[in-house]
Amino acid sequence: MTALLMGCLVLTNGVNVFAGYASQGGATLSVKTNIADARSKGTYVKTVVNAYRYKAGGSANSLIAMGAKSGTSGVAVYPPSGWYIGKAVSQHTINGVVTTLAAYS
């Protein structure tokens, strides 16, 4: 497998990562300061998102876990008022295969 170094992430071949966005196969994760949105395409799907927030006007280096939220083909997580999402990690189970993605806002 080929590994790419992008920012502080080491990625295996086949994972596409852009600022605030990651995808692999039928799994996608989009992260902005006001939403973390994960989508899974396929059969027998389950999507789980763990988002991390920081205080508006504060540092994104001090992230606080918001807890996991799960669903089927799509899950969206919003920060509470006065907070931003700095990072999200998603797990996508598609037809029994698990894919994990991470993205930063």
Side-chain angles (χ1 to χ4, degrees), residues 17 29 45 77 99:
V17 175
L29 174 63
V45 297
V77 176
T99 301

Side-chain angles (χ1 to χ4, degrees), residues 4 6 17 27 29 31 33 48 56 58-59 61 77 85 97:
L4 301 172
M6 299 181 77
V17 175
L29 174 63
V31 180
T33 56
V48 180
S59 171
N61 293 325
V77 176
I85 293 179
V97 178

Side-chain angles (χ1 to χ4, degrees), residues 3-12 17-18 22 87 101-104:
L4 301 172
L5 181 62
M6 299 181 77
C8 296
L9 294 174
V10 176
L11 306 170
T12 60
V17 175
F18 304 95
K87 168 186 165 182
L101 301 174
Y104 298 81

Side-chain angles (χ1 to χ4, degrees), residues 2-78:
T2 305
L4 301 172
L5 181 62
M6 299 181 77
C8 296
L9 294 174
V10 176
L11 306 170
T12 60
N13 198 22
V15 177
N16 300 311
V17 175
F18 304 95
Y21 181 81
S23 70
Q24 183 178 22
T28 61
L29 174 63
S30 175
V31 180
K32 298 177 183 174
T33 56
N34 62 345
I35 186 174
D37 185 51
R39 303 284 166 187
S40 301
K41 293 181 183 175
T43 55
Y44 306 106
V45 297
K46 179 180 179 185
T47 309
V48 180
V49 177
N50 289 284
Y52 299 84
R53 65 184 178 177
Y54 64 97
K55 190 77 170 163
S59 171
N61 293 325
S62 302
L63 296 174
I64 300 168
M66 293 175 55
K69 185 173 180 183
S70 64
T72 54
S73 61
V75 177
V77 176
Y78 302 91

